[in-house]
């Protein structure tokens, strides 16, 4: 009897925020259902895998970060495979599949995945399944779901191919008298897989469940009646006339559902009474962050401006090592909103234990591959600290999270609706009511009152609370003891599932912190609170190292922030070195109204007066239109790109003939894309070339790091 060893494959991931990692984990977990076993590793754990000797299929799941950079934990791997000394058959033996995650709001979409794929091919590796390029800009699941669905049969085909290659090899080698016992197990097991027909066509959604099931049945669909035709349950109408977060209409309400596999639970969590009260500030400052006082807060927007823009100044004099350069950003660590934490404690039934210490360990018998206590949760923190500072409780729950919530929901109508929202058939409802509305777990629990998940589930499935980056809007040379930044307070409107609007987490928190001391115009000497920050140097978004080169800055709205730093720095350098030659500077700024949101107006006009800024081009998107019927254009500029077009000759001259630079900062979703299009048009006009040539020219500028973006969606 041959040993029942399951055929194995390898899953490698590179992940910045955990998304690629959780997809890779999902693949590894699902492997067993397909009669396979997966070795799961992070790309930086190169002592745990060896691609040079790997004879099993390899599945890569990699995200891209920043301006097309690999995630931190894939950097070394990418460097290694990029080595030009590697021979073209270095990975000849390798069969791979690759899922790349990216966001088309940014330049260099899926660049890390594309780079890895290009190098694997150049080094002789063969693809066994077409690469998936998932776009966070429109919803990762649009590509991921079908990609995962097709993956399993392809892995099995790849294993079969590898096994038959080996058989051929073995037959050839049999002349060399290799003993039969050295036949690989994988071949024997493959035969048994084929016999048992483990291949499940709809594997991603294979672990379907019926409403009352605890264990999933083998069938791949659930058929249950809908909430709007069911017996009335608390908080749910008997008949719904319109779909909403909590109720659906036919055909969805009558449809059989394919739901995702239940994510395996993997943490044991207990709460222990603590002797001493925990000091959150102490806990945070231990973690290599700077705790700095806010020395000034000024509202920059005026009157009934569409958005509220604030400038904050931090006093960094206590930390001489906190030097920064123009173009750098820094992270602000913000807590979750106290009322939301309180609501969550209440819903978990743990209000009385909020000061207890949380003890977390990995379950002995968990099926989760590579299970570990989440590294973003420090030891011995109180429950209150954990929910306030460690978990992004407002993050939009993934479908797997909704699937897990079903298990903890007692009301059958609510269970059904949660199933719908995570099902394949309910994808449009999920996007509309959960994803686009940016609902968090608190809001879901409010909408589904019979859902009572355990604390462990939240710790397992909520991501790390991320700090928010802000661009330095000052120069360290001018203000060695200060660091300024500017932001608009983000507003989320009320929607189905959120009866009242709310502010962005960090911008709302900062606004509340400083609003008692806010003055307009500038002057407040109230004692302002301290916040925790850490620096995030940006080595490419810097003024040209050769100051004699000209440069163009494009930054509408708060996107102007880093350019205030650039210009302050330039002004100081001009004072220090009046004889030096400085290149021309251009700034394209845009806002809605001259009198409401023209941020840094005085500073910009002063830069012009001092000769630091040679050309300031400002447009106002909601005024100054001569003919409202006419679309905006260079003749009637509304946005920065229209002014750019008006200066086509000078800007292209700087870029194409004077070796100059162009910088874009601000909104990635619309502005940066439109500016990119406009630059392409300008190159076409100036060089009299077609679209393809213009694209190549722009790509060349990017490569030379003379076209730089610092943008955010
Ligand atoms: P969150 O609570 O995190 O909410 C914002 C999120 O919600 C975004 O993902 C957004 O897409 C989404 N969203 C926004 N409005 C809605 C809505 N109505 N409905 C549904 N979803 C919505 N910002 C600045 O203002 N100034 C800066 O100088 C600056 N510099 C940055 C530098 C870098 C390198 C990066 C990456 C970002 C920068 N940002 C800057 C953005 C900043 O980090 C925050 O993302 C922003 O301030 C919002 O944070 P928040 O916590 O208040 O909002
Ligand atoms: P904003 O106030 O919303 O808009 C500024 C101006 O841009 C308005 O006049 C607006 O006009 C106009 N605009 C709208 N669509 C445009 C388009 N397609 N092309 C050109 N201009 C357009 O901007 P904001 O909120 O300050 O900043 C935008 C984003 O940038 C924010 O999300 C912020 O977080 C981010 N940001 C990122 C960085 C960074 O990555 N380093 C730094 C600073 C800010 P209308 O409204 O009239 O259409």
């Amino acid at each position: 009897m041959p040993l029942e060893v399951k055929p194995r494959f390898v899953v490698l991931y590179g992940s910045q925020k955990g998304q690629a990692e959780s997809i890779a984990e999902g693949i590894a977990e699902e492997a067993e259902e397909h009669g396979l076993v997966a070795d799961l590793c992070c790309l930086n754990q190169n002592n745990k895998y060896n691609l040079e000797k790997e004879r099993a299929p390899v599945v890569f799941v990699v995200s891209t970060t920043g301006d097309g950079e690999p995630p931190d934990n894939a950097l070394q791997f990418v460097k290694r495979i990029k080595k030009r000394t590697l021979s073209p058959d270095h990975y000849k033996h390798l069969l791979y599949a690759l899922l790349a995650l990216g966001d088309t709001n940014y330049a260099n979409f899926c660049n890390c995945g594309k780079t890895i794929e290009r190098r694997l091919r150049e080094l002789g590796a063969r693809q066994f399944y077409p690469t998936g390029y998932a776009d966070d800009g429109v919803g990762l699941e649009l590509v991921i779901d079908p990609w995962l669905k097709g993956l399993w049969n392809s892995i099995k085909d790849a294993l079969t191919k590898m096994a038959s290659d080996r058989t051929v090899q073995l037959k050839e080698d049999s002349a060399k008298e290799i003993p039969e016992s050295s036949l690989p197990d994988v071949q024997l097991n493959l035969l048994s897989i084929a016999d048992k027909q483990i291949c499940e066509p709809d594997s991603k959604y294979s672990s379907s469940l019926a409403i009352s099931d605890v264990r999933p049945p083998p069938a791949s669909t659930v058929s249950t009646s809908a909430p709007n035709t069911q017996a009335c349950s608390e908080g749910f109408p008997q008949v719904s006339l319109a779909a909403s977060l909590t109720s659906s209409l036919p055909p969805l309400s009558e449809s059989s559902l394919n739901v995702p596999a239940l994510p395996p639970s993997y943490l044991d969590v207990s709460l222990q009474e603590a002797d001493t009260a925990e000091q959150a500030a102490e806990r945070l400052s231990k973690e290599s962050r700077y705790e700095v006082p806010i020395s000034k807060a000024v509202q920059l927007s005026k009157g009934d401006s569409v958005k509220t823009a604030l400038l904050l100044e931090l006093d960094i004099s206590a930390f001489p090592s906190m030097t920064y350069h123009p173009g750098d950003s820094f992270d602000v660590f913000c807590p979750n909103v106290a009322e939301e934490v309180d609501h969550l404690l209440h819903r978990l039934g743990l209000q009385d234990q909020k000061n207890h210490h949380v003890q977390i360990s990995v379950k002995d018998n968990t099926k989760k591959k590579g299970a570990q206590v989440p590294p973003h949760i420090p030891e011995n923190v109180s429950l209150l600290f954990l929910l306030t500072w460690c978990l992004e409780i407002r993050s939009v729950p993934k479908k797997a999270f909704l699937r897990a919530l079903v298990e903890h929901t007692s009301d059958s109508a609510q269970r059904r609706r949660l199933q719908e929202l995570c099902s394949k058939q309910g994808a449009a409802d999920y996007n509309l009511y959960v994803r686009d509305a940016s609902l968090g777990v608190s809001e879901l629990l409010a909408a589904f009152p019979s859902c009572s998940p355990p604390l462990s589930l939240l710790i397992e499935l909520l991501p790390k609370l991320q700090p928010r980056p802000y661009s330095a809007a000052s120069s360290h040379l001018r203000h060695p003891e200060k660091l300024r930044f500017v932001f608009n307070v983000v507003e989320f409107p009320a929607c189905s599932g959120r009866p009242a609007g709310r502010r962005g987490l960090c911008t709302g928190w900062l606004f509340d912190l400083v609003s008692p001391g806010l003055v307009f115009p500038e002057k407040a000497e109230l004692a302002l609170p301290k916040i925790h920050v850490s620096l995030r140097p940006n080595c490419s978004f810097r003024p040209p190292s050769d100051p004699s080169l000209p440069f163009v800055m494009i930054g509408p709205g708060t996107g102007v922030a880093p350019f205030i730093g650039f210009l302050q720095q330039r002004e100081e350098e001009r004072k220090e070195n009046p004889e030096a030659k400085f290149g021309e500077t251009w700034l394209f700024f845009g806002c809605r109204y001259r009198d409401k949101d023209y941020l840094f107006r005085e500073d910009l006009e002063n830069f012009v007066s001092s000769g630091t800024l040679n050309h300031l081009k400002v447009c106002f998107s909601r005024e100054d239109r001569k003919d409202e019927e006419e679309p905006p254009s260079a003749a009637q500029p509304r946005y920065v790109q229209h002014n750019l077009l008006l200066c086509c000759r000078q800007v292209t001259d700087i870029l194409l003939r004077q070796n100059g630079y162009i910088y874009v900062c601000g909104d990635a979703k619309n502005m940066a894309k439109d500016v990119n299009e406009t630059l392409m048009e300008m190159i076409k006009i100036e060089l009299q070339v077609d679209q393809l040539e213009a694209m190549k020219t722009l790509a060349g500028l990017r490569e030379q790091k003379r076209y730089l973006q610092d943008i955010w969606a």
Side-chain angles (χ1 to χ4, degrees), residues 648-668:
C648 179
R649 171 64 48 86
Q650 296 99 313
V651 171
T652 48
D653 200 55
I654 286 174
L655 293 179
L656 306 174
R657 295 177 198 98
Q658 298 182 44
N659 214 18
Y661 288 65
I662 189 160
Y663 302 86
V664 183
C665 181
D667 164 49

Side-chain angles (χ1 to χ4, degrees), residues 688-699:
Q688 292 289 305
V689 292
D690 63 11
Q691 180 85 1
L692 188 65
E693 273 310 306
M695 274 170 81
K696 280 190 197 159
T697 308
L698 215 47

